[in-house]
Amino acid sequence: MLRPKIPTMPTPTGTVTPPVVEPTAIVQHTPAPPPVPVAPAAPARPTVQVTPGTALALVGGGTAVVLVVGAVLVSMLLAVAVTAASVAMCALVVRSLIVSERKRR
């Protein structure tokens, strides 16, 4: 019941013949003429022109991203600090309870 079943390799049903390899004729090619120089084509993408309005928008967007990322990082640091302080307070309370329990005996 718990033994694995190992599959058996199937046996071929007919005779297997190897594929026939036929020799191919060797054809000599003449070398192609050198390519004709072509004038450089126009760039695929147009160049971006930065106007004072778009520069101001980019600076504003970058500032907003920096402020948001900074606020998230500061809030995470504050959450860690609050958690550490509460764990420390719990440790002090437990320690105080253990010490006062020993003094009563």
Side-chain angles (χ1 to χ4, degrees):
M1 182 172 115
L2 297 176
R3 293 188 182 187
K5 293 182 180 179
I6 300 172
T8 58
M9 283 293 290
T11 57
T13 56
T15 58
V16 178
T17 58
V20 178
V21 178
E22 296 180 11
T24 57
I26 298 174
V27 179
Q28 298 218 356
H29 295 284
T30 58
V36 178
V38 181
R45 293 184 285 164
T47 57
V48 177
Q49 295 180 358
V50 179
T51 61
T54 56
L56 186 61
L58 288 174
V59 169
T63 304
V65 167
V66 167
L67 289 176
V68 168
V69 169
V72 168
L73 291 177
V74 167
S75 64
M76 289 173 62
L77 181 64
L78 183 63
V80 169
V82 167
T83 304
S86 64
V87 168
M89 293 290 286
C90 290
L92 288 175
V93 168
V94 169
R95 180 178 163 199
S96 171
L97 289 173
I98 291 174
V99 168
S100 66
E101 185 70 28
R102 287 185 183 165
K103 285 184 180 179
R104 289 186 190 174
R105 290 184 182 184

